[in-house]
Structures are given as structure tokens and as C-alpha cells.
Amino acid sequence: MSRSRLSIVKNNPFAITKTKPRKSISHSRLKFSSEELARELGPQYQTIDVRIGNQRMILNIAQGGWILDETTIESKDMTALEKQRCELEKDNTILRTKLDMLLEMLAEVTAEGELHNESDQ
């Protein structure tokens, strides 16, 4: 009787089974585990900082508030960064247009090849 009872317990889909503990998961785009990230980048690799205008604020989780960073960005540097951003946006737009054109050309050549294969058959 005990053998049949064991087989019923093993086949029971509602029986509670122990699972292995999960590994800690990193949400970083880098393909490192959380231990590797802490080792490579240090304990402060997930600091949150915000720049508003020319001021920088850092979130201090231990104190539970924002700390104002006294280093400021000069307006000369800000204009240079804005100019660089605009240039990069223009380059990005050009590259997207080129990619669209290449995809259209590829679709056209593929369609012509399929028509040619159908006409041969």
C-alpha cells in the first residue's frame, strides 16, 4: 500500500516541490552578473544623478534625499553640447533615411527575383 501511495504522490501535479533558489539578476545592459558588476564598477555603479539646467543633483539613498552637487556646467560647454546634440540628430536622420532607401531597394530586388523564379517555373 505504501508503494502505490508514493506513486500517487509523485504523479500529483498539485504536490509541493522544492525549487532551487534563484540567482540574483542584473538589470544592466552589460551582460554581467550583479557580483561581477559590483566587482568591476564598484559599489556605487547605480548612482542616480540629474542635471537641471547647469546644476547637478545626486540621489543619496542612505540619507533618503537629493544632494546638490556644487560643480556647475558653464554656458560655453552647454552650447557646445547642444550643438553636438543637434549635429548627431541630423546625422541620425540622414542614416535613417539611407537605411529606409536600402530596405526599399532590397525589397524591390527580392520581389524581382521571386517574379523571375516564378516565370522560370
Side-chain angles (χ1 to χ4, degrees), residues 24-30 32-49 61:
S24 60
I25 299 172
S26 171
H27 296 291
S28 172
R29 291 185 180 157
L30 303 173
F32 292 136
S33 67
S34 58
E35 293 85 17
E36 288 175 316
L37 276 175
R39 186 181 68 239
E40 293 291 327
L41 303 175
Q44 294 292 328
Y45 69 91
Q46 290 182 336
T47 57
I48 299 172
D49 64 336
I61 297 173

Side-chain angles (χ1 to χ4, degrees), residues 65-107:
W66 293 92
I67 299 172
L68 182 62
D69 191 10
E70 297 301 322
T71 58
T72 58
I73 301 171
E74 296 179 16
S75 61
K76 180 180 174 183
D77 294 335
M78 286 295 286
T79 55
L81 287 173
E82 285 292 323
K83 183 179 177 183
Q84 184 180 12
R85 184 185 62 85
C86 289
E87 289 176 4
L88 288 173
E89 284 179 352
K90 288 178 185 177
D91 289 345
N92 195 11
T93 304
I94 291 170
L95 290 173
R96 284 185 180 164
T97 304
K98 287 182 179 181
L99 180 64
D100 288 341
M101 289 171 45
L102 287 172
L103 288 173
E104 287 179 15
M105 290 169 54
L106 178 65

Side-chain angles (χ1 to χ4, degrees), residues 15-23:
I16 298 173
T17 59
K18 285 192 172 185
T19 58
K20 295 180 182 178
R22 295 182 181 176
K23 293 182 179 179

